């Protein structure tokens, strides 16, 4: 079973700061997902990637398959970015997702 | 609007009283799944369905049942709820079988069993 670790568990930063959230996993995967969960509870898919890098607005996700590691970056952070960010992986030959426990991000104005 | 809906959003019930949480998607997705979310444990899969009449156990299926009689609906049934099933539940769907497609999540159902 794949072990998915996220760091840090909690992160507080000032508005405008560059944010990095890390995700590492123990076994080879076919895809990695980054999800966002707002305080109301709803979960939104931000990225799905299997190699390289993807960008959407101020959010950038990268993955290094050899090192079994992914990062989520937020540029020019804003209080509305405050949420829990969850990393999840799809294992090879398996239809299931394995989730990390999330990183709680708080951006202070 | 493309969405996954769940009902009810909040439910407080007593031990042993059967309940059903409904899940419906309007995107013609083949793959649907149920997760529970508990503090410190993250999201864990309960059951999933690759298509109509095809369901399988996830990581924590004990105490739950599901059915997939229609493509759009995937209800979660708790025949005899117990306090350890108090949790936040999410239904999710994706276009095709497998988790290599973007996942769409419902708004969540917060269940309390006393």
């Amino acid at each position: 079973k794949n072990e998915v670790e996220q760091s840090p568990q909690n992160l507080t930063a000032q508005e405008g700061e560059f944010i990095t959230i890390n995700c590492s996993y123990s076994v080879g995967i076919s895809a990695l997902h980054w999800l966002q969960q707002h305080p109301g509870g709803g979960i939104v898919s931000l990225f799905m990637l299997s190699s390289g890098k993807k960008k959407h607005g101020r959010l950038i996700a990268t993955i290094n398959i050899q090192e079994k590691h992914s990062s989520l970056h937020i540029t020019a952070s804003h209080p509305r970015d405050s949420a829990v960010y969850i990393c999840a992986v799809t294992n090879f030959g398996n239809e299931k997702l394995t989730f990390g426990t999330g990183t709680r991000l708080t951006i202070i104005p | 609007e493309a969405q996954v809906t769940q009902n009810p959003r909040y439910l407080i019930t007593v031990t042993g009283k059967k309940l059903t949480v409904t899940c419906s998607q309007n995107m013609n997705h083949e793959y649907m799944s149920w997760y529970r979310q508990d503090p410190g444990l993250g999201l864990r899969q309960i059951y999933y369905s690759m298509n109509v009449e095809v369901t399988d156990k996830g990581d924590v299926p004990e105490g739950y049942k599901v059915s997939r009689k229609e493509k759009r609906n995937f209800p979660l049934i708790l025949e005899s709820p117990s306090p350890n099933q108090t949790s936040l539940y999410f239904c999710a769907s994706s276009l095709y079988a497998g988790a290599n497609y973007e996942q769409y999540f419902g708004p969540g159902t917060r269940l309390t069993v006393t």
Side-chain angles (χ1 to χ4, degrees), chain A residues 76-94:
Chain A
S77 59
H78 190 276
R80 66 175 174 265
D81 296 325
S82 297
V84 175
Y85 292 84
I86 301 169
C87 170
V89 300
T90 310
N91 306 296
F92 278 123
N94 187 316

Side-chain angles (χ1 to χ4, degrees), chain A residues 5-82:
Chain A
E5 300 282 340
Q6 287 186 238
S7 63
Q9 286 190 319
N10 294 283
L11 177 57
T12 300
Q14 295 287 333
E15 182 174 356
E17 285 189 39
F18 181 81
I19 302 299
T20 295
I21 298 170
N22 298 300
C23 175
S24 61
Y25 50 92
S26 57
V27 180
I29 62 171
S30 54
L32 183 142
H33 304 251
W34 281 103
L35 310 170
Q36 180 190 56
Q37 184 173 24
H38 274 288
I43 298 174
V44 175
S45 176
L46 297 175
F47 294 103
M48 185 180 66
L49 63 166
S50 54
S51 65
K53 176 179 174 178
K54 285 191 176 181
K55 185 175 189 290
H56 184 252
R58 295 179 294 106
L59 274 59
I60 303 165
T62 64
I63 188 168
N64 185 318
I65 296 295
Q66 287 73 29
E67 295 188 2
K68 297 185 178 63
H69 180 268
S70 175
S71 293
L72 176 67
H73 305 286
I74 304 175
T75 62
S77 59
H78 190 276
R80 66 175 174 265
D81 296 325
S82 297

